[in-house]
Amino acid sequence: MIEIDSITKRYGETAVVDSVSMTIAPHTITVIVGTSGSGKTTLMRMINRLVEPTSGTILIDGADNRSIPGYELRRRIGYAIQGHGLFPHRTVAENIATVPTLLGWEKSRIAAKVKELLSLFQLDPAAFGPRYPHELSGGQQQRVGVARALAAEPNILLMDEPFGALDPVIRAKAQDDLLAIQKHFGTTIVLVTHDMEEAFHLADRIAVMDKGRIVQYAAPEEMLVNPATDFVETLIGAGERPFRLLSIGAVAEAAEAGEAEGEPIAATSSQRDALSALLWSGREALPVVGADGARLGRVTLAGLARRAARPQ
């Protein structure tokens, strides 16, 4: 658990982060969003003390983060940035092994962890371990960057615009990889982004920052239905709200009893994907199937329209 209490960072007379308080539950993904200069990266970097606060406290599992030497704290907390920041003169395996080596792990344990992480990110250890960063695609480099951040088995992973440099197709894959990895390890993730689509796809809770303050901190559904301020509503995008509501719900939640013809939709797909499939096929309903291919019912245009409608 990360407890942020009245944290402030001033540069001269300017408060870049202004008396922010929030609690981040363990094993969740919290996404911090806001416009450029809103203080979101500064707030996140005070968790691992890459930036020292002017006032306030940050507790990690009840311990003040200032009670731990900075270098030791940063070895305990994974950190991944846009552009991955890999060491160009080190192989993929050596990059991932960086922090475990500093911590004095045995070579056999390090080798096993490198192999595990590469496999989890669907990179063959034998093929990719000996390569150098310049021999990888942008998406592969980003996956290695996240693997390196996770190598020492941190309870917390901080991510600053980690997928910003990736093209849309690779970015979507990287986001899905992150969700799978977070579920596998149970890591508490704090991620900064300016991309609201990314925020709603990844977050358990979203913190919206404006001029150094948190103006709303809520679950995605709550934020969509009840934006706290005009700024939050503008950031979400009034015209996008129905589609964002559908994007955070699985088809299984919208399945209805009944039969339908056409290409089946997986129950794990998003309701937004189901809407696209219905519109593209020109049908009023399509069958819904589970992971085993068994039919679970159908999803309808009318049903999805009700779900996307403004609450009364």
Side-chain angles (χ1 to χ4, degrees):
M1 180 175 290
I2 304 169
E3 298 169 270
I4 298 172
D5 183 16
S6 303
I7 207 77
T8 295
K9 178 61 182 180
R10 292 184 178 277
Y11 291 103
E13 296 299 312
T14 303
V16 179
V17 174
D18 189 2
S19 193
V20 166
S21 296
M22 60 190 294
T23 298
I24 297 170
H27 317 303
T28 62
I29 300 179
T30 295
V31 178
I32 305 173
V33 298
T35 56
S36 296
S38 60
K40 54 189 186 293
T41 293
T42 301
L43 173 61
M44 186 190 71
R45 286 162 63 95
M46 284 192 281
I47 295 173
N48 66 352
R49 289 176 54 205
L50 282 171
V51 173
E52 296 285 357
T54 303
S55 62
T57 58
I58 296 177
L59 305 181
I60 298 175
D61 286 336
D64 192 323
N65 70 345
R66 293 171 298 183
S67 68
I68 306 166
Y71 70 90
E72 184 178 329
L73 180 72
R74 288 185 281 276
R75 289 178 185 177
R76 294 185 189 179
I77 298 174
Y79 187 53
I81 60 174
Q82 179 177 330
H84 53 76
L86 298 178
F87 300 116
H89 59 290
R90 294 183 181 175
T91 66
V92 165
E94 289 168 343
N95 265 281
I96 295 173
T98 299
V99 176
T101 299
L102 290 171
L103 293 175
W105 286 19
E106 292 182 359
K107 288 184 178 180
S108 59
R109 184 183 175 191
I110 293 173
K113 178 55 66 175
V114 169
K115 183 177 180 180
E116 176 194 5
L117 286 166
L118 285 173
S119 298
L120 280 170
F121 280 100
Q122 299 170 8
L123 298 171
D124 178 24
F128 286 91
R131 294 186 189 179
Y132 286 87
H134 73 271
E135 299 176 291
L136 308 179
S137 69
Q140 290 166 346
Q141 290 177 5
Q142 193 65 55
R143 279 185 272 175
V144 173
V146 177
R148 184 179 63 181
L150 290 168
E153 302 173 357
N155 291 326
I156 297 169
L157 173 60
L158 307 180
M159 308 186 79
D160 191 2
E161 298 277 6
F163 310 127
L166 302 181
D167 68 57
V169 174
I170 296 174
R171 184 171 186 149
K173 176 65 168 63
Q175 291 168 358
D176 288 342
D177 281 346
L178 180 65
L179 288 171
I181 294 297
Q182 192 270 341
K183 185 176 181 181
H184 179 86
F185 287 110
T187 312
T188 301
I189 296 177
V190 181
L191 185 147
V192 164
T193 184
H194 66 276
D195 185 331
M196 291 303 296
E197 193 78 26
E198 182 166 88
F200 282 104
H201 180 51
L202 295 176
D204 292 298
R205 298 195 80 190
I206 299 172
V208 179
M209 292 194 72
D210 184 30
K211 299 175 183 175
R213 289 181 171 270
I214 298 284
V215 293
Q216 189 167 10
Y217 181 42
E221 299 93 329
E222 180 184 345
M223 189 170 289
L224 285 165
V225 173
N226 295 304
T229 66
D230 290 342
F231 174 76
V232 176
E233 188 162 11
T234 300
L235 202 62
I236 293 170
E240 290 294 314
R241 285 170 70 183
F243 303 104
R244 296 202 196 283
L245 271 171
L246 294 179
S247 70
I248 60 179
V251 169
E253 300 165 19
E256 306 172 10
E259 296 293 326
E261 298 296 324
E263 185 69 26
I265 297 174
T268 53
S269 298
S270 75
Q271 294 169 24
R272 184 171 181 168
D273 289 341
L275 177 64
S276 295
L278 285 161
L279 293 173
W280 185 252
S281 66
R283 295 181 181 272
E284 296 294 320
L286 285 171
V288 177
V289 295
D292 58 359
R295 294 212 172 194
L296 304 178
R298 64 178 185 167
V299 62
T300 67
L301 269 176
L304 292 176
R306 288 193 297 271
R307 287 176 170 271
R310 180 191 297 271
Q312 300 303 313

